[in-house]
Amino acid sequence: MELKSRKDIPAELTWDLSSIYATEEEMYADVEKLKSLSARMAEDYKGNLNDPRTIGACLDDLRELNRLLTLTGTYCSLAVSVDYYDTYNQERNDKLSRLAAEISSALSFIDSEIIEQDESTLQEAVRLATDNRHYLEDILRNKPHQLHPETERALAALSQSLYAPYQIYNMAKLADMKFDSFTAAGKEYPLGYSLFEDDYEYEKNAEVRRTAFAAFSKKIREYENVTAAAYNTQVQTEKTMATLRGFDSVFDSLLFGQKVTRELYNRQIDLITEQLAPHMRRYARLLKKIHGLDKMTFADLKIAIDPEYDPKVTIEESRAYIEKGLSILGEDYVEMVRTAYRDRWVDFAQNAGKSTGGFCASPYGKNSFILLSWNNRMADVFTLAHELGHAGHFKSCNSTQSIFDTNVSTYFVEAPSTMNELLMAHYLLKTNPDRRFRRWVLSCMISNTYYHNFVTHLMEAAYQREVYKIVDEGGSVNAEVLNRLMKETLEKFWGEDVEIDDDAAHTWMRQPHYYMGLYSYTYSAGLTVATQACRRIESEGQPAVEDWKKVLAAGSTLDPIGLAKLAGIDITTDGPLLDTIAYIGEIIAEIEQLTNEL
C-alpha cells in the first residue's frame, strides 16, 4: 500500500496534542513566560548565588523553567515527528530549539556559581533542599568536569548546532529518501522506510521478503556517505566534549550521566555476544528448517515461527489484551491504559514522513504520547505494551518526584517497558493450553522481546563500541569503515548459520540510537532487570509487584544499581544476566520441542 499524507489520516488514529496546549496561542503564551522568567532569573541571581536560601530560591525557579521548556519543546517536537514533510512545524520547532539554547546559555551561570561556593554553604543548601536535593548533589558530582563559566555559556549557546547531526540524519531518512516500488513473484510492491521495517521484514514469502530487503538496502546505500558524515560529526563532537571536560575516555564521559561503570557496560556486550549467540544460532537453524529455506540470510531473521497462526489484531482488540495482560500491576495501571486509548495518547497512523519505530514522550505534569505504526499484528500489541511501560513509569515518578528527579538513567529506563512485554507474554501463556498456541507465544517472546532487545540493539551496541574505540584513539569513521564494522559484528554473532551480505552491513544506517550516546546497550540492560523482576513476580506474587511499583515511583532518586536493588536484583554481579541468557535458551529449547511434537 502507498502511505497517505498526514492530512488524510483520520483523527482517531492520531495523538491529541491539545492535552499539552489547547491552541498554538497557549503554547506561545508559555514561550513568553519562559522569556520573562529566564530574564528575571538572570537579573535576580547572577552574582548572588552565595547563600543557601538564595540557591534554593533559584533552583525553585529553575524547576518551573524546566517545566515550561519541557512542555513547549515537547509540543513542537512531537508535531515534527509525525510528518517530516511539514515545513511549518519544522520551523516552529527550530525556533523553540534556538530559544532553549539562548536560555540555557543565559542561565549557565547557575551551576557554575553554585559549584564555586564553599563546602559549608553547599552542605547547608543540600540540608535545606527538598525537591532540589538531588540536583545539588549532581552539581557536586559534576564539579571535576565543570568548565570555566564563559566556556559553559558558549557551549550552551551552541547546543542547537551540537544536535545538528541527528537532525541531518532524520531529514535524510524521513524526508529525502524516496523509494521506488519493487517486483517479486511477478507482482509489483510499493516500498518505503516504514513499509519495509513494519511489513516486509516479517513477510512470510521468502522471495518478496528478500527482494524487498535488497531494494530497501539499495536505496539507503545511496545515502551512506552523508549519513556516515553526520555520524562521524556526532562521535567526534562527543569525543571533543569528553576531552574538554577532563574525561579519560569518551566511554567514561557518556556513561557518567548514566551513573554506571565501564564494567556494567562491557558486561552486557561481552556476555551476550559470547553466551547468547549459540542459543540464537539454534533459533536461526530452526527458522530455516520450519520454512524450508535454501539458506538463512539476514533478511530472514524476523520471520515468524508460525506465520499462519499469527492473529490479526485490531486497535480495539489490542485494548482487551493489554488491559488483561497488565492487570497484575493493579487497577490504577489498567485505568491508565484505558485512558491512553480513550484520550488519544497514541499515534497509530501510517503516513508518509512519519518517524519509524516507536517511542513514548512523557512531559512533566501531562500525559504521555506514544508513537508507533499499527499493522494489525500481535507484534504491535507487544510494542504498545512496551511504550505503555514507559508511560506507566513516568506517570508514577512524575506524580511522585520533583521534575529534577525524573531524569532516570538510560541504563534502567528500558526495564519498565520490557517488563510489560514479559507480563503480556506470561498472561497469554495462561489463557490457552494448546501446544501450537504456546509455541506461538514463546516464539513471540524470542522474535519480538528478546530478539529486539538482546540481539538487534545488542549488535548495535557491539558495533558502536568499536566505533568509539576508533574515535578514542584519535581516528575517524566513514561509510567504508562503518560497513566493515557492522558486517564483522554480525558475522561474529551469527557465525556460519546466517549469511551476512553487504546489504546486512548497511543496517548501521537505520538506527537513530547512535545519536543518543551509549543507548543501544541499555535495552538489554533494562530487559535483564525486567526478566529477573518478572520471574520474582511469577514466583512471589504481590510482594514483588509492590516492590516494582516502588521502583517506578523512585524516578532518578536512585542510580541503576539502587533501583535494581529495590526490585530485589543485584546487577553488580554476572548472575542476573547469565540467568536471563539461560532463560532465553530454555524458551528456545521448548520451542524446538513443541515443533518436533507438532
Side-chain angles (χ1 to χ4, degrees):
M1 66 176 184
E2 295 285 356
L3 291 180
K4 295 180 179 179
S5 297
R6 182 70 180 182
K7 62 181 176 59
D8 297 324
I9 298 295
E12 62 267 22
L13 295 179
T14 66
W15 52 30
D16 181 11
L17 297 185
S18 70
S19 61
I20 307 180
Y21 295 110
T23 64
E24 187 178 49
E25 287 71 28
E26 286 188 14
M27 187 273 294
Y28 277 119
D30 267 3
V31 168
E32 292 307 311
K33 289 181 185 177
L34 266 173
K35 292 177 180 176
S36 175
L37 178 57
S38 61
R40 181 181 65 75
M41 289 175 68
E43 183 176 344
D44 288 354
Y45 300 121
K46 192 167 187 178
N48 297 320
L49 293 176
N50 48 23
D51 70 89
R53 296 194 182 278
T54 304
I55 290 172
C58 178
L59 294 184
D60 288 344
D61 283 339
L62 186 60
R63 290 204 319 277
E64 173 61 10
L65 185 96
N66 283 355
R67 187 186 71 84
L68 293 172
L69 280 170
T70 298
L71 294 182
T72 54
T74 301
Y75 182 80
C76 293
S77 64
L78 290 181
V80 171
S81 69
V82 293
D83 188 2
Y84 271 81
Y85 294 142
D86 190 320
T87 55
Y88 177 85
N89 285 339
Q90 286 180 27
E91 290 170 4
R92 186 179 66 179
N93 190 51
D94 287 345
K95 187 186 299 184
L96 258 293
S97 296
R98 285 193 297 274
L99 175 63
E102 291 167 6
I103 290 174
S104 179
S105 178
L107 299 183
S108 63
F109 71 87
I110 294 173
D111 287 7
S112 297
E113 286 192 24
I114 291 174
I115 278 177
E116 292 305 313
Q117 303 312 308
D118 61 59
E119 187 71 17
S120 61
T121 299
L122 292 174
Q123 292 304 326
E124 178 65 8
V126 170
R127 190 186 69 78
L128 292 173
T130 304
D131 292 335
N132 305 326
R133 182 168 66 87
H134 291 104
Y135 186 89
L136 283 167
E137 290 173 349
D138 282 343
I139 288 179
L140 295 176
R141 178 174 178 262
N142 193 50
K143 186 171 184 176
H145 306 292
Q146 188 80 3
L147 302 175
H148 187 277
E150 282 303 303
T151 306
E152 293 290 353
R153 185 177 69 82
L155 288 174
L158 286 169
S159 60
Q160 188 179 19
S161 298
L162 296 177
Y163 288 120
Y166 184 39
Q167 186 177 16
I168 292 167
Y169 167 79
N170 271 330
M171 290 301 292
K173 172 181 175 179
L174 301 172
D176 284 350
M177 286 189 193
K178 303 292 192 299
F179 291 83
D180 297 324
S181 59
F182 67 94
T183 301
K187 182 180 176 182
E188 188 172 357
Y189 294 85
L191 183 61
Y193 225 107
S194 60
L195 273 177
F196 173 72
E197 292 194 336
D198 297 332
D199 195 42
Y200 295 125
E201 275 199 302
Y202 305 94
E203 168 62 45
K204 63 181 179 181
N205 184 302
E207 183 181 349
V208 174
R209 182 176 64 250
R210 291 174 178 178
T211 306
F213 182 53
F216 175 82
S217 300
K218 180 181 179 182
K219 173 55 65 174
I220 66 172
R221 190 180 299 119
E222 294 173 7
Y223 293 81
E224 66 176 358
N225 292 313
V226 67
T227 306
Y231 182 34
N232 185 58
T233 302
Q234 173 75 23
V235 295
Q236 296 297 341
T237 300
E238 288 167 336
K239 174 59 178 174
T240 299
M241 294 300 297
T243 302
L244 282 174
R245 294 196 178 280
F247 288 97
D248 293 334
S249 156
V250 68
F251 292 101
D252 295 331
S253 172
L254 295 174
L255 291 171
F256 182 80
Q258 296 181 10
K259 298 184 179 179
V260 294
T261 63
R262 289 276 287 277
E263 181 186 8
L264 268 70
Y265 165 72
N266 286 321
R267 174 188 291 137
Q268 289 298 128
I269 298 173
D270 292 336
L271 284 185
I272 294 174
T273 300
E274 294 164 10
Q275 303 286 334
L276 182 63
H279 298 304
M280 293 309 301
R281 291 176 190 178
R282 203 165 83 242
Y283 184 72
R285 291 194 296 270
L286 182 61
L287 284 175
K288 179 184 176 185
K289 176 184 176 182
I290 288 173
H291 289 274
L293 299 175
D294 57 330
K295 59 183 177 181
M296 194 67 186
T297 74
F298 187 78
D300 302 320
L301 285 169
K302 291 192 175 181
I303 53 178
I305 283 281
D306 194 350
E308 302 298 335
Y309 199 78
D310 198 16
K312 294 293 184 184
V313 185
T314 66
I315 292 170
E316 185 56 37
E317 288 168 342
S318 72
R319 185 198 309 238
Y321 277 116
I322 294 176
E323 285 183 15
K324 293 173 182 174
L326 302 183
S327 62
I328 194 170
L329 295 176
E331 180 56 30
D332 286 349
Y333 204 97
V334 173
E335 182 56 33
M336 180 205 72
V337 173
R338 295 190 189 108
T339 305
Y341 280 90
R342 185 185 66 239
D343 293 352
R344 290 172 49 205
W345 294 12
V346 187
D347 201 275
F348 294 101
Q350 289 184 318
N351 63 263
K354 182 178 177 177
S355 294
T356 59
F359 67 74
C360 177
S362 301
Y364 193 80
K366 299 293 182 179
N367 59 263
S368 291
F369 297 88
I370 293 168
L371 179 143
L372 51 81
S373 294
W374 194 262
N375 292 277
N376 295 311
R377 287 195 176 92
M378 184 56 76
D380 300 326
V381 180
F382 280 89
T383 299
L384 183 50
H386 175 108
E387 300 304 342
L388 284 166
H390 290 304
H393 183 191
F394 285 99
K395 181 178 185 293
S396 182
C397 72
N398 285 0
S399 62
T400 308
Q401 307 295 345
S402 150
I403 193 171
F404 286 158
D405 293 331
T406 59
N407 186 27
V408 181
S409 168
T410 51
Y411 183 95
F412 193 86
V413 81
E414 295 297 340
S417 53
T418 52
M419 165 67 98
N420 278 13
E421 294 188 55
L422 297 177
L423 292 176
M424 283 293 304
H426 283 264
Y427 159 74
L428 288 171
L429 286 172
K430 295 171 184 174
T431 63
N432 189 335
D434 179 75
R435 286 183 300 172
R436 189 177 180 190
F437 179 82
R438 182 173 180 83
R439 184 181 70 157
W440 170 74
V441 175
L442 292 173
S443 68
C444 283
M445 292 177 71
I446 297 300
S447 62
N448 292 327
T449 302
Y450 285 107
Y451 184 92
H452 187 67
N453 298 286
F454 261 70
V455 181
T456 298
H457 290 317
L458 199 281
M459 291 298 93
E460 294 170 17
Y463 148 85
Q464 188 182 35
R465 185 170 64 173
E466 297 309 307
V467 171
Y468 281 121
K469 284 179 182 177
I470 291 172
V471 171
D472 238 2
E473 294 169 2
S476 61
V477 292
N478 53 40
E480 182 180 350
V481 171
L482 297 174
N483 289 333
R484 175 178 57 80
L485 291 177
M486 179 54 80
K487 191 170 186 178
E488 289 173 353
T489 300
L490 293 172
E491 287 175 336
K492 180 179 179 182
F493 187 83
W494 291 109
E496 296 180 356
D497 290 295
V498 179
E499 180 182 286
I500 304 298
D501 60 13
D502 290 339
D503 288 345
H506 279 82
T507 54
W508 65 269
M509 295 181 63
R510 295 166 52 185
Q511 284 298 347
H513 299 127
Y514 304 134
Y515 300 85
M516 304 172 187
L518 295 175
Y519 189 20
S520 295
Y521 90 98
T522 66
Y523 283 88
S524 64
L527 183 50
T528 300
V529 173
T531 300
Q532 299 304 307
C534 187
R535 299 187 84 177
R536 264 200 73 204
I537 289 173
E538 288 290 309
S539 62
E540 299 176 30
Q542 199 58 34
V545 172
E546 294 306 315
D547 283 345
W548 189 246
K549 288 181 178 179
K550 292 175 187 174
V551 170
L552 298 182
S556 56
T557 60
L558 296 171
D559 63 16
I561 292 174
L563 289 169
K565 185 177 181 181
L566 191 58
I569 302 154
D570 182 5
I571 59 170
T572 64
T573 71
D574 291 357
L577 181 53
L578 290 175
D579 182 77
T580 300
I581 292 171
Y583 177 60
I584 296 170
E586 290 167 12
I587 295 174
I588 293 172
E590 185 174 355
I591 293 170
E592 285 182 315
Q593 179 183 338
L594 288 168
T595 298
N596 291 332
E597 293 174 2
L598 291 167

